[in-house]
Every structure is written in C-alpha cells, then in structure tokens.
C-alpha cells in the first residue's frame, strides 16, 4: 500500500471514530502512528483548561531530556523515561501527534521484544491501576480503565490505564511526578516489531503527559524539540518554558482549528521564487499539521507538484534516477556527491511563509533523504497527499529548534545545531547524564577505569576519523552461557547513538567465563569518515568511561580504545587503481587489435590469385629510356 492510500484510510478511520465520541469523557479513540502519517483524534482542549494555564505566570522548572536514534534509520526519535518506585527505564518514541504514553507490561500476552524489559507493576510500590469510573472506558468486567489505539498502518496497542511515578533523568530539574500512562497488554503490527519500547504522547488531550503535568502546575504550558541533522541523529527536548532565542520565527497555532499542532502556512518559495499558490491549498481538512511521529512531508497534490517542478528546474545538472524501493515512485537524483555537507551546492533552499509574513528556510537536509543504493544520490522527502491536509514530519525540522508555546498558541522555529544545543542545555557543573538504578533485572554496572594509555580527544579543526576501536572484558556468571554478541552490538550502537551496521566485532578471545572483545566503529554506508560530531562524541564517551552495557551481559570493564585518523588521499592515491586498470585495459585492447590486423593481412595474402607458370604472359611495352640514360 502506498503512502497516499494510508492517508485515505486514516482519514476514513478518523471520520468513523469522531462520530462516536462522548465529549465529556476521556478520549480513547485512535491516535497517530509513529512513522506513518498520523490519524486524527477529535479531542479538543477545553476552554477552561486553556484559561487556567494562562494564569500560570511564575517561572517553573523544566526538564532537559536527550533524544536518541535517527529519523530515517529508525523512523522516529526516542527519549528515556523512568516509571515506578524504584524506577524502571524505557525508550519511548517522542510523538506530538498522540496523547497516551504507554509501555509494555509484564502481563502482556502479545508484545514484541523491545529495547528494554517490560514494565513490572509488581516491583513498583507506587503503582496503581485506574479503577473504572464515568470518565474512562472500562474493561469487560467493569473494574479497570482501559485504552486502545489503532494506527493507520494497521498496528494497535491496548492495555490498562495506570498511575505511577514518572522520572525524567538526571538532567531534569523536575522531581518525579505521578501521571497516568498505559500499561500495555497487547500490540500488533509495527508496534510489535519496533525496537523502541513504547510511545511518549506530547499531543493535546487529557491523557497527554504534557497536559497532565501542566494541569498540576509542574511546568509551564510549553515544550521544545530539536532533532539532529542528516546522518547525525539525536537531539534534545525540553519540557517547560524556555526564552525564545534571537532569530526565532513564529507561526500561529490555533488549538480550535484542529487538536493537533498546526501552523498558519500561506506560501512556499523555492530558490527565492514564490510558487504563487492559493493560500487555501494549505488550509484544507485539518490545515497544516506538524507531527514529530511522521517521518516525511505530505502536501496536497497541487502544492506537491509545484514544489517538485520548481526543485527540478533548479537542478538541471543532476540526473533523474529510480528510487531505492521499487514499491514507491520516489523522485531521486544522482550526481550531487557523497559529502552531505555539500548538497546545498546542488539543491535549492525552500522557504515556508507564514501568515504573519515570517519565513522558515528549509535547507536541502530538510526535504531530502540519501539514496540507499546509489552513491551521491538523494531523493525528495516530500510526497503527494490525496487528502487536503498538509502534514509536516520530522524531516522538515531537522537541525531546527521547535518551541510548542501552547500557552500563547504559537510555534517557534530556529535553525540550529541540535547536537550542540544539547551540550549548551547541560549545566556546566552537572555530572554526566546517567540512568537511575533500574529494577528491571538489568541494572547498569559501572565500568572500571580505562587504560591511561588511551589518547586524548583534543583534535584541532576538522579531523577525519576512519575508525574507532576499543576492547572490553566481559565476565559472565555461567561459563557455559555464551554472550549474545549481536545484542551487545545493538546496545553499543544505541549507547553511541549510531547505526548498528557501524559496529563490528573484530576479535574474540575467551578463557573460562571471561571474554575479551575488540569492537570497531566505522563510518556509515557510503561515507569515508565518521562525522566530526559523532566521532568526538564517541571519543569523549570512551575517554570519560561512560560506555555502559546492561547487567544481563555480565560484569565488564573497558580496557583500551584508539581512534585512527584517515589521511586525506591525493588525487593519484584515490585514482591509482583506476589509472592502472585503465592502462592495463588499453594495453590489452591494443594487443588484441594488433593481432586482429596481422591475422587479417595474412588471410588477404592467402586469398591473392597467381598466374600459373605456363600461362602466356602479355607482352608489355618497354618504357622509353630517359635522356640522362641515353646519354650515358
């Protein structure tokens, strides 16, 4: 099924569920998916809630939270949340298009294998399931409140609504707070197979964790998200109010227009030229919606065609090629080079103009994704939507700080380096982020100090790291139980915030119940180097001895590590094999041609006719002697 068909299904689903709502009850209807375009809820915020929030003028604390994963590699971003007493740790998809926050429960009969163990209510002294009441949907026995979510890609989640202490990590100024969440008992589809544990709902609605904590006066009615750039990943999130940075542009967000975070989009510009679209094209159905749980951008057909044609017009030197997936008619181009930092030299900027006249500039990384099968090729991350809603996914706001100022009904945008933003958010005198002690039977064990021979990371300017290697020693409790090396590689990738394909096991030595493993970190596919930001982050993590593995792998310690710079090759070094190969092929072709010519000449000689010896030879007239000869 193509993306446009998914949107049609989700809108039909919304229309059916909206007709059956009870306005004064908790909305337990379908919500948005994580990767696919969101399906819409009909739960508008109550007027009295909005008025009450505007009365909160005091400066309340906020929570600084780190984002993990990569938008295109994973389809989502996650953050870490801790639930229960003692706290149990979970990786949750950050989703502004849904409300319920949920995690798999130990009672789940049909849940997939996710990043962390299931939540165990029996181990939490502060856990409490919500009893059936007039404000919720009840189970068949009429005893407990339940929820059910069905998504556009036909996945679903259902379980019991519960209440427990929720913690936000060491970087947070917020103390743990009691909040309602979903204790999942069943999941299907993509929810079953995804690596993330569950969803953190940041949308508008009673069950949203933002609404719950704002209503309690925990923080002010605002939050911010900042997604990493192309092939960088990660980022930062702030729950609570921040001062708008200089240069931030704003768009009005009308909570009564739709229950989702919408913007007042009026016009699009490509390479500084207006597309002269009718502003009404961006105001159909649910308007223009910003959804962190959707990967790409979807425009009504008229706007999509105008954007596509304008971009193609600006890149005449690039060749149009097929997309990486034959199931989708992706629009891709080759010839832009392998260096992501240089794509702005080939592709134009796109500007989104808001109703107030302010513009958000989209660089190529905000509307392109790398072709996975052709080097130096990129594809449009913008697609047509047969519905009249404009849906802007996470790709549009990469390396963009987005402030959801719900109190003042506006969204702010600022282009920035989101990885650098996380460093600025961390207090200078605060310890490095660490996880609270988990009672999930996978408590983290601090590694032993690394070897003093490990190099520093004070590398000036731009450096080219071709690989980073490190050795760890793991001691398992049972000598007959061999560690699962693929799982360890996945956990290392998660801790270092890189793709699993970049982590390779180079060597293994074992003695009784102790294993010595040498791991290598390599550049992502189609890249020669590990990016500066990623390499520096990994080296700092290793230097400060903050690489952690769950206790399920046994006790371990980091032994030593090394980063190897890859020297920039000269033209001859890069193309030596090609030149040698070309010369060899030329010599071979020349040799073959010479042999062919010799064979041809020999055959011609063999085919020549000769007169027999006895044949009468026609007399020929002698040529007259020259005068010089005669005189001689």
């Amino acid at each position: 099924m193509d993306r446009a068909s998914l949107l049609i299904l989700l809108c039909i689903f919304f229309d059916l569920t909206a007709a059956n709502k009870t306005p004064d009850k908790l909305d337990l209807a379908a919500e948005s998916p994580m990767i696919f375009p969101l399906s819409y809820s009909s739960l508008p915020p109550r007027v009295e809630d909005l008025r009450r929030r505007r009365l909160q003028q005091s400066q309340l604390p906020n929570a600084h939270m780190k984002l993990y994963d990569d938008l295109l590699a994973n389809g989502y971003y996650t953050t870490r949340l801790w639930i229960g007493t003692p706290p149990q740790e979970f990786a949750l998809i950050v989703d502004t298009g849904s409300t319920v926050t949920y995690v798999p429960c130990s009672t789940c009969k049909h849940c997939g294998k996710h990043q962390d163990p299931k939540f165990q209510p029996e181990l939490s002294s502060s856990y409490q399931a919500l009893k059936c009441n007039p404000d919720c949907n009840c189970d068949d026995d009429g005893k407990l409140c339940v929820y059910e979510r069905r998504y556009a890609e036909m996945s679903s989640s259902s379980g019991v609504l519960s209440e427990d202490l929720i913690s936000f990590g060491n970087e947070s100024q917020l103390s743990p707070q009691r909040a309602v969440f979903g204790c999942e008992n069943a999941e299907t589809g993509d929810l079953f197979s995804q690596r993330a544990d569950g969803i953190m709902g940041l949308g508008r609605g009673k069950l949203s964790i933002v609404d719950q904590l704002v209503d309690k006066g925990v923080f002010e009615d605002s939050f911010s998200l900042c997604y990493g750039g192309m092939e960088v990943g990660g980022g930062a999130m702030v729950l609570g109010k921040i001062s708008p940075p200089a240069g931030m542009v704003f768009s009005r967000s009308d909570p009564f227009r739709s229950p989702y975070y919408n913007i007042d989009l009026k016009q699009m510009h490509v390479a500084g030229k207006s597309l002269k679209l009718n502003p009404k094209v961006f105001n159909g159905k649910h308007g223009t919606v910003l959804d962190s749980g959707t990967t790409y951008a979807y425009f009504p057909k008229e706007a999509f065609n105008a954007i596509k044609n304008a971009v193609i017009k600006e890149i005449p030197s690039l060749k149009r090629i097929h997309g990486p997936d034959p199931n989708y008619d992706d629009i891709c181009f080759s010839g832009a080079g392998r260096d992501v930092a240089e794509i702005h030299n080939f592709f134009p900027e796109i500007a989104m103009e808001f109703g107030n006249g302010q513009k958000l500039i989209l660089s190529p990384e905000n509307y392109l994704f790398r072709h996975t099968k052709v080097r130096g090729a990129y594809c449009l991350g913008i697609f047509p939507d047969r519905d009249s809603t404009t849906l802007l996914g996470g790709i549009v706001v990469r390396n963009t700080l987005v402030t959801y100022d719900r109190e003042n009904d506006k969204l702010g945008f600022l282009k920035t380096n989101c990885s650098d933003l996380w460093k600025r958010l961390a207090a200078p005198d605060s310890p490095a982020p660490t996880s609270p002690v988990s009672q999930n039977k996978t408590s983290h064990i601090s590694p032993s100090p690394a070897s003093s021979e490990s190099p520093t990371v004070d590398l000036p300017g731009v450096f080219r790291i071709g690989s980073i290697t490190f050795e760890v020693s793991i001691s398992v409790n049972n000598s007959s139980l061999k560690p699962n090396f693929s799982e360890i590689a996945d956990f290392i990738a998660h801790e270092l915030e890189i793709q699993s394909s970049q982590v390779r096991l180079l060597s293994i030595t074992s003695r009784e119940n102790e294993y010595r493993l040498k791991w290598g970190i390599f550049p992502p596919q189609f890249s020669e180097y590990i990016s500066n930001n990623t390499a520096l982050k990994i080296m700092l993590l290793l230097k400060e001895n903050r690489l952690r593995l769950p206790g399920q792998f046994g006790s371990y310690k980091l032994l030593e590590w090394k980063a190897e710079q890859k020297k920039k090759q000269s033209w001859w070094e890069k193309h030596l094999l090609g030149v040698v190969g070309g010369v060899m092929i030329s010599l071979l072709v020349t040799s073959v041609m010479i042999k062919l010519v010799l064979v041809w000449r020999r055959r011609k000689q063999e085919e020549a006719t000769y007169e027999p010896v006895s044949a009468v030879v026609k007399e020929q007239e002698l040529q007259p002697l020259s005068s010089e000869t005669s005189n001689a």
Side-chain angles (χ1 to χ4, degrees):
M1 181 180 295
D2 59 21
R3 300 178 176 97
S5 300
L6 285 173
L7 281 173
I8 293 176
L9 286 176
L10 65 87
C11 291
I12 294 173
F13 179 75
F14 164 72
D15 291 334
L16 292 175
T17 56
N20 296 317
K21 297 289 190 297
T22 304
D24 296 328
K25 292 186 177 181
L26 282 175
D27 181 12
L28 302 176
E31 302 251 353
S32 116
M34 298 72 60
I35 304 173
F36 296 87
L38 56 83
S39 58
Y40 302 96
S41 164
S42 63
L43 181 63
R46 297 180 299 175
V47 176
E48 57 268 30
D49 288 341
L50 294 176
R51 289 175 179 170
R52 183 171 66 253
R53 291 174 190 141
R54 289 192 175 94
L55 295 177
Q56 300 173 348
Q57 300 297 330
S58 60
Q59 290 294 325
L60 298 173
N62 55 31
H64 296 163
M65 304 174 69
K66 196 169 185 178
L67 296 182
Y68 301 87
D69 301 304
D70 177 78
L71 180 68
L72 299 186
N74 304 92
Y76 50 72
Y77 286 97
T78 62
T79 192
R80 307 300 289 180
L81 212 62
W82 291 264
I83 302 176
T85 307
Q88 302 175 40
E89 185 180 4
F90 300 96
L92 303 183
I93 295 170
V94 174
D95 191 4
T96 61
S98 62
T99 56
V100 178
T101 295
Y102 57 81
V103 297
C105 259
S106 59
T107 55
C108 185
K109 297 179 180 178
H110 191 268
C111 285
K113 184 178 181 181
H114 302 296
Q115 181 172 317
D116 300 286
K118 299 179 179 67
F119 176 67
Q120 301 181 62
E122 64 275 11
L123 296 183
S124 175
S125 60
S126 52
Y127 173 83
Q128 184 178 4
L130 292 187
K131 295 182 179 180
C132 180
N133 64 76
D135 290 329
C136 74
N137 287 349
C138 300
D139 60 10
D140 294 338
D141 298 329
K143 294 181 179 180
L144 299 175
C145 291
V146 295
Y147 78 94
E148 183 176 5
R149 292 292 179 268
R150 296 186 183 277
Y151 297 96
E153 80 282 10
M154 303 307 171
S155 62
S156 65
S157 170
S158 60
V160 175
L161 288 177
S162 308
E163 188 178 41
D164 208 334
L165 281 177
I166 293 180
S167 307
F168 305 94
N170 288 2
E171 295 298 323
S172 171
Q173 299 172 351
L174 303 181
S175 59
Q177 301 291 328
R178 291 195 69 84
V180 175
F181 70 100
C183 198
E184 194 178 43
N185 285 328
E187 58 186 15
T188 63
D190 286 350
L191 289 176
F192 185 88
S193 58
Q194 72 185 14
R195 178 174 170 78
D197 301 313
I199 299 282
M200 182 177 182
L202 300 173
R204 291 186 173 113
K206 283 186 176 182
L207 292 178
S208 168
I209 198 166
V210 176
D211 284 65
Q212 291 186 62
L213 299 184
V214 167
D215 286 344
K216 289 183 177 183
V218 175
F219 55 75
E220 295 182 70
D221 199 6
S222 178
F223 68 93
S224 300
L225 293 173
C226 200
Y227 290 167
M230 183 180 285
E231 297 186 343
V232 176
M237 176 170 69
V238 178
L239 295 181
K241 188 175 183 179
I242 62 173
S243 299
M248 178 169 273
V249 299
F250 292 91
S251 170
R252 184 172 184 271
S253 183
D254 185 359
F256 301 100
R257 173 67 178 82
S258 77
Y260 295 94
Y261 298 112
N262 54 73
I263 59 175
D264 186 20
L265 182 60
K266 293 299 183 184
Q267 191 55 260
M268 299 291 294
H269 304 258
V270 175
K273 304 168 189 174
S274 173
L275 299 185
K276 298 180 180 180
L277 293 165
N278 188 330
K280 292 182 179 180
V281 74
F282 304 111
N283 199 36
K285 194 83 175 190
H286 298 281
T288 298
V289 175
L290 186 65
D291 176 35
S292 69
T294 298
T295 304
Y296 300 107
Y298 300 81
F299 285 85
K301 196 169 184 180
E302 178 185 352
F304 166 76
N305 287 331
I307 296 170
K308 176 193 70 173
N309 294 335
V311 170
I312 293 176
K313 186 177 179 181
E314 295 294 326
I315 52 173
S317 63
L318 301 184
K319 180 183 178 183
R320 178 83 177 268
I321 61 173
H322 293 292
D325 189 341
N327 295 319
Y328 296 104
D329 188 21
D330 290 323
I331 299 172
C332 304
F333 309 90
S334 64
R338 294 167 56 187
D339 191 347
V340 171
E342 300 299 324
I343 59 175
H344 66 276
N345 294 329
F346 299 90
F347 292 91
E349 288 184 339
I350 296 178
M352 299 171 57
E353 182 180 346
F354 303 136
N356 57 11
Q358 293 186 313
K359 295 178 182 177
L360 172 63
I361 304 299
L362 305 182
S363 60
E365 74 171 348
N366 296 122
Y367 66 87
L368 296 175
F369 64 92
R370 189 192 279 275
H371 199 296
T372 56
K373 296 181 179 179
V374 180
R375 294 186 177 185
Y378 299 86
C379 307
L380 286 183
I382 299 174
F383 302 95
D385 179 7
R386 294 177 186 175
D387 188 18
S388 56
T389 296
T390 298
L391 183 60
L392 306 178
I395 191 173
V396 174
V397 291
R398 289 198 288 199
N399 267 341
T400 305
L401 172 65
V402 182
T403 294
Y404 297 76
D405 188 348
R406 299 165 22 132
E407 180 178 348
N408 297 301
D409 297 335
K410 62 181 181 180
L411 269 60
F413 303 87
L414 178 72
K415 293 293 292 182
T416 187
N417 185 316
C418 289
S419 299
D420 182 60
L421 174 67
W422 169 252
K423 298 173 187 176
R424 298 200 306 268
L425 285 175
D429 57 348
S430 65
T434 56
S435 304
V437 176
S438 170
Q439 295 298 318
N440 265 344
K441 299 181 181 180
T442 59
S443 57
H444 293 300
I445 302 174
S446 300
S448 303
S451 170
S452 59
E453 298 178 359
S454 296
T456 64
V457 292
D458 300 325
L459 300 176
V462 176
F463 48 92
R464 301 172 182 272
I465 301 298
S467 65
I468 299 174
T469 59
F470 62 93
E471 291 190 43
V472 297
S473 174
I474 297 180
S475 297
V476 297
N477 298 326
N478 187 346
S479 59
S480 63
L481 184 62
K482 186 178 181 181
N484 188 322
F485 300 122
S486 62
E487 283 192 17
I488 295 177
D490 288 340
F491 273 97
I492 290 174
H494 179 266
E495 285 295 313
L496 301 182
E497 300 176 31
I498 57 177
Q499 301 174 20
S500 297
S501 59
Q502 293 179 245
V503 181
R504 302 175 196 169
L505 181 59
L506 303 180
S507 65
I508 306 173
T509 57
S510 62
R511 183 179 180 183
E512 296 181 352
N513 64 334
E514 183 173 338
Y515 291 83
R516 182 164 178 159
L517 311 175
K518 184 175 183 179
W519 297 92
I521 309 300
F522 297 91
Q525 191 177 18
F526 305 134
S527 297
E528 293 184 35
Y529 316 104
I530 303 173
S531 70
N532 281 4
N533 287 340
T534 302
L536 185 60
K537 182 167 54 179
I538 294 173
M539 289 188 288
L540 284 173
L541 195 69
L542 293 172
K543 180 187 177 184
E544 297 173 3
N545 211 6
R546 290 191 285 116
L547 177 64
R548 306 187 308 273
L549 294 180
Q552 68 191 63
F553 296 127
S555 61
Y556 83 102
K557 60 181 178 180
L558 177 64
L559 301 176
E560 59 182 6
W561 66 275
K562 180 173 64 175
E564 295 184 1
Q565 295 194 62
K566 188 173 183 179
K567 293 182 180 180
K568 188 175 182 180
Q569 294 178 311
S570 65
W571 188 92
W572 282 105
E573 288 176 325
K574 285 184 178 180
H575 302 90
L576 180 60
L577 289 178
V579 171
V580 172
V583 171
M584 295 297 293
I585 292 174
S586 298
L587 292 175
L588 180 62
V589 171
T590 302
S591 174
V592 172
M593 293 298 295
I594 292 174
K595 288 182 178 180
L596 290 175
V597 170
L598 292 176
V599 170
W600 178 79
R601 291 182 63 180
R602 186 177 301 165
R603 288 183 178 177
K604 282 293 184 181
Q605 291 176 356
E606 292 175 354
E607 293 174 359
T609 58
Y610 297 92
E611 295 289 343
V613 175
S614 59
V616 178
V617 179
K618 185 178 179 180
E619 293 184 358
Q620 296 183 357
E621 185 177 355
L622 297 175
Q623 295 295 324
L625 297 176
S626 62
S627 58
E628 294 180 358
T629 306
S630 301
N631 294 333

